[in-house]
Structure formats: C-alpha cells, structure tokens
Amino acid sequence: MNSLPAWTLEPAGLKDLEPIVELKAQVMRADLERLGRWDQERSRERVRKSFSTRYTSVLLVEGAFAGCVTIRPDEQGGRHLELFYLAPHLQGRGLGTAVLRHLLADADAAGDPMRLVVLQGSAAQRLYERHGFEVVHEDPIDATMHREPAR
C-alpha cells in the first residue's frame, strides 16, 4: 500500500504565481479541450487575475512545490475554494483527498459552508461530490457546487 508523502500548505508568495499559472495550464488543458474551451492565454490570465497572496497557499510535498489552493471569503457567506491544482505525477494517490479533507475540516470547525466552480464532467467534480458537495447550478461548461459544514 502506498503511503501518503509528507505535505504541507504554506502561504503563497509572488514567486509562486508563475509556477501556479503553469500548473493550471498543465492540469486543466485536457478537460478544457474536451469542452472546446482551451485558450492558453485566457487560462493563464484567469489565474493571474485571481491569484492572491492573502488567500492562496502552495502545497509542498517533501518540501517541493506540488500544487496550490485558494480559499477566499464567498460572496454568499462561508468560503470559496478555487485554484485547487495538484501536479499530475501526484494525482490518484490520495493526496488531493487528504488536502481537501484538511480544508473541509477547517471550514467545518468554523461552521462555514464552502462553494466552488468546477468543469462539467471532470474528475475533480467527482472528488467534490464524494466529499459532500452538491451541484446547485450548472451550464454547459461549469458546475457550481456547495457544501454545508458537517455537524
């Protein structure tokens, strides 16, 4: 049985922006192409516009950059999860689940619901559904998902 590598979440700095931009392009390209929405410059610009050293954390695995996540206040109350990306070579090993559980435990402890937007039909959507998120709105490209805090 594979054991989970040692990981931490650390506050992102400006030096982390371009690695995050690159990771998002690498991770999201196949799903965006499937939906006919891949535009490299648009993809990169969206990350640059939403990046925030205040709300973004980098995921370090054994001290090396392996992913990122942004948790910001949601306009409807609670928290909004975005920019949650994990390096492809680490996917499918339970690491994303471990990080998500950590984020949800923190939100649950504060009594905060969590909201996110995910691409329709992506593996990420199935991950979120397994952790209690429900689709509250969808269009041909995105699904908006919501999760009430666990009691």
Side-chain angles (χ1 to χ4, degrees):
M1 176 186 206
N2 290 344
S3 63
L4 218 49
W7 63 273
T8 58
L9 287 173
E10 304 290 337
L14 291 177
K15 68 179 180 3
D16 298 307
L17 176 56
E18 289 309 311
I20 291 170
V21 167
E22 291 300 320
L23 179 61
K24 189 250 184 170
Q26 184 180 16
V27 169
M28 298 295 292
R29 184 174 183 151
D31 275 329
L32 288 167
E33 285 177 340
R34 173 180 55 81
L35 294 167
R37 301 286 295 189
W38 173 247
D39 178 327
Q40 183 171 327
E41 284 311 308
R42 181 173 178 255
S43 175
R44 293 169 187 275
E45 191 57 32
R46 288 186 73 179
V47 175
R48 289 183 183 112
K49 283 183 178 178
S50 64
F51 178 79
S52 165
T53 56
R54 181 174 182 187
Y55 300 117
T56 302
S57 298
V58 291
L59 172 64
L60 303 177
V61 171
E62 298 174 353
F65 175 79
C68 59
V69 63
T70 298
I71 303 284
R72 65 177 77 239
D74 188 82
E75 295 172 357
Q76 298 177 25
R79 301 174 188 200
H80 188 90
L81 185 150
E82 59 188 28
L83 299 180
F84 186 21
Y85 305 118
L86 180 62
H89 73 281
L90 294 169
Q91 293 177 8
R93 297 171 46 193
L95 183 58
T97 294
V99 174
L100 183 58
R101 282 183 181 148
H102 169 79
L103 299 170
L104 293 174
D106 189 51
D108 291 347
D112 287 340
M114 195 172 291
R115 193 175 291 279
L116 58 87
V117 177
V118 65
L119 289 175
Q120 286 280 14
S122 69
Q125 183 175 354
R126 292 184 296 279
L127 170 71
Y128 298 131
E129 287 169 344
R130 287 193 305 271
H131 288 87
F133 284 87
E134 296 179 354
V135 174
V136 294
H137 176 75
E138 54 191 339
D139 62 35
I141 305 298
D142 296 316
T144 301
M145 303 183 81
H146 177 86
R147 179 187 178 274
E148 286 295 323
R151 304 204 191 285

